[in-house]
Amino acid sequence: MQKPENNSIVIFGASGDLTHRKLIPALYQLFENEQLSDDFAILGVSRTEYSDTAFRDKLRQSLIENEKVNEGILEAFLQHIYYQAIDTQNVNDYAKIKNRLVEINFRHNCQHNVLYYLSTPPSLYGVIPECLAAHQLNDESEGWKRLIVEKPFGYDLQSSIELDDKIHQSFAEHQIYRIDHYLGKETVQNLLVLRFSNGLFEPLWNRNYIDYVEITGAEALGVEERGGYYDGSGAMRDMFQNHLLQVLALVAMESPAVINAKSMRDEVVKVLQSLHPLTPENLEENLVLGQYTRSKVRGVELPGYREEKGVDPQSRTETYVALRLTIDNWRWSGVPFYVRSGKRMPTRVTEIVIHFKKTPHPVFNMNAPENKLIIRIQPDEGIVMSFGLKQPGSGFKAKEVAMDFHYDSIAEGHLFSAYERLLLDALNGDATLFTRSDAVQAAWKFVQPILDYKAGTPKIHGYACGTWGPEAANKLMSNSQREWRFPCKNLTDTNYCEL
Ligand code: BG6
């Protein structure tokens, strides 16, 4: 991968959790693997006062505690880090950033290229670009200026349109990088390679051969320390509107003409725009919302969602969502996609299961084995293909067997984490794996009826921590004689599941 031009990276929200858990570790890894530019600087910005040295000390401690670091390399990395305290809401304070950038640019020869990363509460996503522009910090006459915006991009359709308009007043579309970290995952990108570099799957990848598709994004953790944020968001906004719809788009899209930002994102948006619209009438039978309740899991008593810190004790926010949806296009018409996501499930797993139609004439036994392709995004990244073979012994009975491939068997050297990959792409000006404005709006447009429905008093089904969600979600499938796969931590453990 090419090295970016010299640059400075300004992280807003520098004392926050994302900066410490994801951004700085990703930048450190890129530095250790010699992927960053020959010279660069990182300027942390937030409200708390720190000196450069105090900020470096804080990062040093958190990197040593949480990452595998080489001390010599770590010290060299920290020499690129600076800090500036400002009141992010006060436009005059941005003069301090401007001055720091001049000084840093001189010291590190950053060639006036700047990547701004908005890792702040979403309420500041509109304010910061406007304040940067007021000081011409968006001006590209001497070097590029790019802006990474974290999710959530808006709270619903209307607010996402307003936010987009607001940011566009100060930054042009080619400068805006809307990050969805799922697109940075190696195995999510592998979906494209699997589909479009093999002659084997593509001819079958349509309504003629596929019975249904499952997409699961399950987490074992609860809301942890983020109850305050999550209670106003829920699984629909937190996981479904962005991560899972992006994964779905990669499963369903047509082949792009070439792999570049325009071609790829044109195909993604077509899928999102073809999702069959949800209405109050069809939602009742296609949507299940759930919330986890107190339960003992592996000997540990876990609190219910309503008992979590920052959560309203009467909360009706969903921590689980399952939706049956269809895509109105030539390829997918009539094929149901079942998508579910939840917190406090038995294990952490993200996977896609393609269920092929059964043979029309099962001569070998009444119940012909299923042909499935399981694409595991995380953990134990890999693929399993199941089909029928002759059961050894007398007669001609078919038995379901599986062929499996584990991604780690071809991984050589350092594998980029999602944030490493996406930061590097943004530094290189490659927006292929970032979400375009029209795709974000198409996704919000699709989920808006669910948000409206949630605003009433829809049924919220309780499910005990450590289970696969409410019984009602099984009915979504069983009504059509289908069933969810219950995935395990280990891709090929089909008879055992951690409960
Ligand atoms: C984040 C959500 O975007 O994605 C979290 O806000 C969720 O609630 C996380 O836990 C899941 O990401 P990953 O990479 O752990 O699957």
Side-chain angles (χ1 to χ4, degrees):
M1 197 168 239
Q2 78 190 83
K3 272 193 170 194
E5 295 166 301
N6 284 1
N7 60 77
S8 27
I9 302 168
V10 179
I11 303 179
F12 289 93
S15 49
D17 187 52
L18 183 74
T19 304
H20 288 264
R21 272 191 317 111
K22 300 285 183 189
L23 305 183
I24 293 293
L27 289 165
Y28 169 79
Q29 286 300 338
L30 289 172
F31 180 73
E32 183 174 318
N33 288 290
E34 297 175 12
Q35 301 288 332
L36 291 182
S37 47
D38 296 334
D39 207 350
F40 66 95
I42 299 170
L43 176 65
V45 177
S46 61
R47 186 184 286 267
T48 325
E49 291 284 349
Y50 294 110
S51 62
D52 289 343
T53 313
F55 188 58
R56 288 176 187 178
D57 290 346
K58 200 166 136 65
L59 297 185
R60 180 187 292 108
Q61 194 187 347
S62 113
L63 282 168
I64 291 176
E65 275 169 16
N66 303 312
E67 304 289 314
K68 232 174 95 203
V69 290
N70 169 308
E71 275 189 33
I73 298 177
L74 175 59
E75 288 314 313
F77 174 67
L78 291 172
Q79 293 316 305
H80 292 265
I81 297 189
Y82 301 85
Y83 183 82
Q84 179 64 54
I86 66 162
D87 170 1
T88 331
Q89 311 250 27
N90 178 354
V91 64
N92 298 327
D93 262 17
Y94 286 69
K96 296 181 188 161
I97 298 185
K98 194 168 187 173
N99 292 338
R100 272 332 279 280
L101 281 175
V102 171
E103 167 205 327
I104 288 169
N105 193 64
F106 180 71
R107 194 173 300 167
H108 292 277
N109 184 25
C110 300
Q111 297 168 13
H112 304 282
N113 297 320
V114 189
L115 176 67
Y116 302 105
Y117 200 117
L118 305 191
S119 166
T120 61
S123 55
L124 295 173
Y125 291 174
V127 179
I128 296 173
E130 191 181 18
C131 294
L132 289 170
H135 291 267
Q136 296 79 46
L137 288 165
N138 57 344
D139 179 55
E140 294 198 288
S141 49
E142 287 193 271
W144 49 255
K145 306 289 177 300
R146 298 180 187 139
L147 183 73
I148 298 191
V149 189
E150 260 295 336
K151 71 159 252 271
F153 198 88
Y155 187 72
D156 54 16
L157 178 59
Q158 188 52 34
S159 62
S160 81
I161 295 173
E162 284 164 13
L163 176 61
D164 213 43
D165 289 348
K166 177 96 183 160
I167 297 181
H168 276 124
Q169 286 165 16
S170 323
F171 283 78
E173 181 64 22
H174 77 269
Q175 296 176 282
I176 306 170
Y177 291 70
R178 298 169 195 81
I179 199 164
D180 184 315
H181 80 278
Y182 266 54
L183 294 180
K185 291 182 192 277
E186 188 73 34
T187 38
V188 171
Q189 294 153 31
N190 183 45
L191 254 172
L192 297 176
V193 180
L194 175 83
R195 286 193 54 200
F196 301 128
S197 71
N198 293 297
L200 176 64
F201 302 113
E202 201 47 26
L204 307 179
W205 211 264
N206 57 51
R207 69 192 151 87
N208 296 323
Y209 299 98
I210 293 181
D211 183 26
Y212 67 105
V213 178
E214 266 180 86
I215 300 179
T216 295
E219 295 182 88
L221 291 177
V223 290
E224 307 297 292
E225 298 301 309
R226 298 161 72 226
Y229 145 77
Y230 195 89
D231 211 31
S233 164
M236 202 64 208
R237 289 185 171 94
D238 186 54
M239 287 289 291
F240 187 94
Q241 183 273 342
N242 34 69
H243 305 325
L244 295 182
L245 281 184
Q246 288 296 326
V247 170
L248 178 138
L250 299 191
V251 172
M253 69 192 254
E254 297 303 314
S255 161
V258 282
I259 297 286
N260 66 23
K262 176 164 184 345
S263 232
M264 268 277 295
R265 301 192 299 176
D266 282 351
E267 296 308 332
V268 165
V269 81
K270 278 187 222 163
V271 176
L272 297 174
Q273 287 170 343
S274 310
L275 296 173
H276 186 74
L278 300 166
T279 61
E281 296 71 45
N282 66 22
L283 265 180
E284 282 285 346
E285 61 196 46
N286 290 314
L287 175 73
V288 175
L289 302 173
Q291 191 184 79
Y292 60 79
T293 57
R294 172 174 281 272
S295 166
K296 213 170 192 175
V297 180
R298 282 169 232 132
V300 181
E301 185 84 14
L302 295 175
Y305 175 69
R306 292 179 182 184
E307 302 164 69
E308 299 274 20
K309 205 167 96 203
V311 171
D312 175 357
Q314 310 283 321
S315 175
R316 297 186 59 79
T317 299
E318 78 289 357
T319 59
Y320 175 96
V321 58
L323 181 72
R324 175 174 46 208
L325 59 92
T326 51
I327 303 175
D328 290 336
N329 65 16
W330 195 256
R331 186 189 282 268
W332 293 112
S333 177
V335 178
F337 282 68
Y338 296 87
V339 186
R340 63 178 168 171
S341 175
K343 293 210 183 272
R344 284 281 185 234
M345 309 257 97
T347 190
R348 172 178 181 251
V349 63
T350 308
E351 70 172 28
I352 300 147
V353 188
I354 311 288
H355 296 260
F356 291 92
K357 288 186 176 167
K358 289 192 174 166
T359 166
H361 181 51
V363 289
F364 294 116
N365 45 358
M366 292 305 286
N367 282 319
E370 223 197 343
N371 292 153
K372 308 195 269 279
L373 180 66
I374 302 163
I375 305 167
R376 176 63 74 94
I377 307 288
Q378 61 188 18
D380 192 12
E381 295 80 357
I383 290 174
V384 171
M385 180 139 190
S386 70
F387 45 89
L389 281 184
K390 181 181 176 299
Q391 177 141 20
S394 60
F396 280 97
K397 263 200 163 164
K399 173 183 164 53
E400 188 170 319
V401 295
M403 247 165 47
D404 59 289
F405 158 78
H406 298 255
Y407 210 68
D408 58 9
S409 65
I410 55 163
E412 283 169 10
H414 176 70
L415 262 190
F416 284 131
S417 72
Y419 277 96
E420 285 169 48
R421 170 69 200 258
L422 294 174
L423 276 163
L424 197 55
D425 281 3
L427 290 170
N428 279 318
D430 182 351
T432 310
L433 298 175
F434 291 84
T435 328
R436 206 167 58 191
S437 159
D438 50 359
V440 174
Q441 276 174 31
W444 278 122
K445 191 169 173 202
F446 175 69
V447 303
Q448 187 60 50
I450 300 182
L451 305 180
D452 297 341
Y453 176 76
K454 270 180 32 157
T457 37
K459 265 190 221 151
I460 304 275
H461 302 264
Y463 62 97
C465 287
T467 65
W468 280 106
E471 177 55 28
N474 294 338
K475 292 220 181 85
L476 263 189
M477 286 251 191
S478 59
N479 288 346
S480 336
Q481 278 77 54
R482 297 176 173 129
E483 53 185 37
W484 296 100
R485 186 176 118 89
F486 293 108
C488 311
K489 200 171 186 173
N490 189 327
L491 176 58
T492 45
D493 275 343
T494 46
N495 300 321
Y496 151 85
C497 217
E498 275 185 77
L499 287 175

